[in-house]
């Protein structure tokens, strides 16, 4: 039992080190040696726990996905109306952009990798689908009958909202000096006018 918990701690330590290295330097600029050094382990332990670089990065993506999904769902539970729930989600995006920009950098890096790797593509596609489903479930399940949004499938609206938030977030990551960009997320609320 003690040996298993030690292996779990070591595995988690490597995973967190990989997250930190990739988020700081980018996937293309990180070697397994960098991650082993950051984790304070020998290189062979990375292969023992994760088989190879892709296996390790897939686990980092899964860890990132879990964090995003939990936080998105928690924020979408705030408010009563669709507009209030989306406003809470927008606030979350703004907080992450300000407080945890590495999380968005990592998402951008993995999105790029997903274009060329089927396994990474499947993971990111699942993340985007799950977030859109959460938006649909929590924010779009009670759209007023007279709303112009009724003309569209809730899933389509959810994907559009998430896409707009993600696209704006990418712009903020690329131009952190532009102080008005995080506020641009608030314009998404116009959909509910």
């Amino acid at each position: 039992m003690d040996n298993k918990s030690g292996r779990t701690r070591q595995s988690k330590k490597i995973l967190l080190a990989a997250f930190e290295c990739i988020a700081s330097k980018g996937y293309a600029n990180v070697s397994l040696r960098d991650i082993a050094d950051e984790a304070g382990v020998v290189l062979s332990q990375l292969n023992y726990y994760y088989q190879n670089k892709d296996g390790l990065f897939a686990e980092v993506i899964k860890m990132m996905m879990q964090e995003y999904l939990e936080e998105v769902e928690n924020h979408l539970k705030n408010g009563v109306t669709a507009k209030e729930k989306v406003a809470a989600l927008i606030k979350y995006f703004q907080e992450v952009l300000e407080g945890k920009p590495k999380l968005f950098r990592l998402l951008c890096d993995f999105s790029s990798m997903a274009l060329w790797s089927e396994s990474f593509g499947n993971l990111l596609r699942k993340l985007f689908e799950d977030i859109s489903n959460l938006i649909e479930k929590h924010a779009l399940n009670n759209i007023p009958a007279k709303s112009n949004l009724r003309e569209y499938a809730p899933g389509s609206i959810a994907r559009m909202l998430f896409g707009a938030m993600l696209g704006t977030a990418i712009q903020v990551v690329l131009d952190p000096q532009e102080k008005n960009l995080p506020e641009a997320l608030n314009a998404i609320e116009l959909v509910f006018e």
Side-chain angles (χ1 to χ4, degrees):
M1 186 81 119
D2 195 14
N3 192 20
K4 184 178 180 181
S5 68
R7 283 194 308 259
T8 301
R9 277 195 307 276
Q10 192 77 332
S11 172
K12 184 76 170 171
K13 183 178 176 182
I14 293 168
L15 197 57
L16 293 173
F19 175 90
E20 199 54 46
C21 285
I22 299 165
S24 297
K25 298 177 183 180
Y27 171 82
N29 298 319
V30 171
S31 69
L32 290 178
R33 167 86 44 217
D34 295 331
I35 295 168
D37 290 347
E38 177 75 21
V41 300
V42 294
L43 189 58
S44 62
Q45 285 186 306
L46 274 65
N47 290 324
Y48 173 77
Y49 289 108
Y50 299 103
Q51 281 76 46
N52 56 36
K53 190 175 181 180
D54 284 352
L56 175 58
F57 291 165
E59 290 304 313
V60 171
I61 291 172
K62 290 175 188 175
M63 182 180 76
M64 178 194 71
M65 288 173 61
Q66 188 62 36
E67 182 175 344
Y68 267 124
L69 291 172
E70 287 174 9
E71 290 182 2
V72 164
E73 185 161 32
N74 287 337
H75 281 76
L76 282 168
K77 290 179 180 178
N78 296 324
V80 176
T81 68
K83 184 175 181 176
E84 291 170 348
K85 290 177 178 291
V86 169
L89 184 60
I90 290 168
K91 185 175 191 290
Y92 163 69
F93 267 69
Q94 290 167 329
E95 289 169 356
V96 172
L97 283 167
E98 186 166 319
K100 297 192 251 179
K102 285 182 179 181
L103 198 56
F104 271 114
R105 286 189 181 282
L106 197 60
L107 180 59
C108 292
D109 203 9
F110 284 143
S111 294
S112 173
M113 291 167 38
L115 295 172
W116 307 108
S117 165
E118 185 178 347
S119 62
F120 291 151
N122 290 335
L123 286 170
L124 264 290
R125 187 171 37 257
K126 176 86 170 105
L127 173 64
F128 293 167
E129 180 182 316
D130 288 349
I131 290 175
S132 294
N133 288 341
L134 286 173
I135 294 169
E136 181 179 356
K137 174 184 170 185
H138 290 286
L140 302 175
N141 59 0
N142 61 352
I143 297 173
K146 61 183 178 179
S147 171
N148 62 351
L149 295 178
R150 283 278 192 203
E151 299 174 29
Y152 303 96
S156 297
I157 297 167
R159 286 186 178 270
M160 183 270 305
L161 291 171
F162 176 60
M165 286 185 229
L166 182 60
T168 303
I170 290 170
Q171 292 177 62
V172 172
V173 169
L174 292 174
D175 190 2
Q177 303 306 314
E178 178 56 62
K179 299 301 180 197
N180 293 327
L181 276 173
E183 290 178 20
L185 285 166
N186 294 331
I188 294 168
E189 290 182 47
L190 290 172
V191 169
F192 297 96
E193 296 297 321

